[in-house]
């Protein structure tokens, strides 16, 4: 989990081959997971990083439909 001020959450990235193609999910307890909203990577998300100074998450990934 992160140790930042407002980001006490778990964030997972990867490939979702289901109908939603949500490659970023998050949880506040590590048990119940939610789909992230906003821009997603339809192919896969590869890495995630958190900046406690900016209190922001950043993800990188792949979109083969729009390289």
């Amino acid at each position: 989990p992160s140790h930042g001020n407002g980001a006490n959450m778990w964030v997972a990235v990867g490939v979702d081959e289901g109908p939603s193609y949500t490659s970023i999910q998050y949880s506040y307890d590590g048990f119940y997971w939610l789909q992230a909203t906003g821009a997603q990577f339809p192919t896969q998300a590869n890495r995630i990083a958190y900046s406690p100074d900016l209190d922001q998450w950043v993800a990188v990934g792949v979109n083969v439909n729009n390289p």
Side-chain angles (χ1 to χ4, degrees), residues 18-52:
S20 65
Y21 294 101
T22 305
S23 54
I24 304 172
Q25 304 215 355
Y26 66 97
S27 172
Y28 291 102
D29 60 9
F31 187 73
Y32 295 102
W33 290 86
L34 304 166
Q35 294 179 351
T37 59
Q40 293 283 320
F41 300 98
T43 304
Q44 72 183 48
N46 295 328
R47 301 274 192 271
I48 188 83
Y50 175 72
S51 169

